[in-house]
Amino acid sequence: MQRQIFDDYESPSSAAADLVLETVSQNPGAVLCFATGNTPVGTYRLLIEKAHARQADFSQCFCFGLDEWVGVPPEKSGTCHQILHEQLFKPLGVRGTQVHLFDGMTDDISAECRRMNEMIRQKGGIDLMLVGIGLNGHIGFNEPGCSPELEAHDQELHESTLASGQHYFNEPTPIAKGLTLGLAQVRAARTVLLLANGAGKASIIQKALEGPVTPEVPASHLQQHKGALVMMDKAAAAQLT
Ligand code: PGA
């Protein structure tokens, strides 16, 4: 696992956008996976600006979504579906046929997860996965205690995830469960880029990067991943030794 510490929020966002562009320029058919949340907003904004300026070609790549809220209609503002399409795929010119996201409205969760797992296998695995970290150390909706061997699955969400999740919606939205790629798929991605910013993440970043590798801190499994890269601002890195 490598780490890079930057002065402000904008710099890792820019470096992360560059990494996505470099990945797609070296391998136009790259398989990418994107998270939502507050952390990658700057990365996506800069990625779109840079992609347009450099006339980057995303027409051959394939994109997965990391997770989704269960039971929230996809078009509702705040779902991973709506955010990724509006903030990323449409501006980049990525077509619907190049994207596979969880259907949070499915009435057959097992089949939905099987479809996701099968699609990832068919595409030859994920080249670059961009993720954030929850205050409890989660990646996607892999909450503390989750087995590192799991692939796509549904997950009861912890209090802290439910509380921070509510902020993504523009009105109170009942959420209880999520669908997520599993840690097995995070660990199998050729490159995992974890972004973190702000003082609120300093304590969990210290645990995830320097504490024991344990299911209690799902992001700690990245310590054992040679292709893991953590980009963070000084505030998030403040408790690292
Ligand atoms: P955030 O969420 O980017 O909004 O901080 C990260 C996460 O919960 O994974």
Side-chain angles (χ1 to χ4, degrees):
M1 174 199 255
Q2 291 180 51
R3 47 166 102 162
Q4 294 177 3
I5 300 168
F6 300 82
D7 282 341
D8 52 18
Y9 173 68
E10 207 68 2
S11 310
S13 301
S14 177
D18 287 338
L19 182 60
V20 176
L21 285 166
E22 202 180 291
T23 303
V24 173
S25 115
Q26 281 172 8
N27 174 13
V31 178
L32 309 169
C33 175
F34 295 105
T36 55
N38 294 322
T39 310
V41 170
T43 298
Y44 297 161
R45 175 175 41 80
L46 291 167
L47 176 57
I48 292 157
E49 277 177 32
K50 288 171 191 254
H52 288 161
R54 298 179 202 173
Q55 299 189 322
D57 180 8
F58 279 80
S59 66
Q60 306 301 311
C61 69
F62 196 85
C63 302
F64 288 98
L66 178 64
D67 52 20
E68 187 57 281
W69 307 100
V70 168
V72 185
E75 63 282 359
K76 194 172 158 60
S77 175
T79 63
C80 302
H81 190 284
Q82 185 269 336
I83 292 169
L84 287 178
H85 276 287
E86 296 304 321
Q87 290 185 8
L88 192 62
F89 300 144
K90 278 189 199 158
L92 281 180
V94 170
R95 303 180 308 276
T97 51
Q98 294 173 257
V99 173
H100 187 81
L101 306 178
F102 282 115
D103 173 8
M105 296 301 286
T106 182
D107 52 15
D108 188 343
I109 282 182
S110 309
E112 183 60 22
C113 292
R114 274 199 305 279
R115 243 192 318 276
M116 177 59 85
N117 294 338
E118 187 48 38
M119 193 68 142
I120 293 175
R121 270 191 272 280
Q122 254 180 39
K123 297 289 171 191
I126 295 169
D127 294 305
L128 174 63
M129 184 183 263
L130 192 152
V131 301
I133 180 170
L135 291 171
N136 62 4
H138 73 201
I139 291 184
F141 289 138
N142 291 281
E143 299 283 40
C146 248
S147 162
E149 308 304 331
L150 283 178
E151 295 193 314
H153 62 281
D154 62 324
Q155 172 78 45
E156 296 287 339
L157 300 174
H158 282 202
E159 280 307 311
S160 70
T161 305
L162 294 172
S164 54
Q166 226 20 268
H167 298 302
Y168 305 134
F169 298 101
N170 52 15
E171 58 184 354
T173 301
I175 43 175
K177 265 176 137 183
L179 282 164
T180 185
L181 296 194
L183 289 174
Q185 288 153 324
V186 177
R187 290 160 58 236
R190 290 181 257 291
T191 300
V192 181
L193 173 56
L194 185 145
L195 288 168
N197 67 279
K201 295 284 170 75
S203 165
I204 194 62
I205 277 289
Q206 195 279 332
K207 290 192 183 91
L209 273 60
E210 297 181 341
V213 175
T214 163
E216 292 315 312
V217 182
S220 66
H221 291 286
L222 291 183
Q223 290 179 33
Q224 297 168 328
H225 191 321
K226 287 198 177 61
L229 172 59
V230 183
M231 290 184 179
M232 59 203 140
D233 68 357
K234 278 195 302 208
Q239 292 183 27
L240 292 173
T241 54

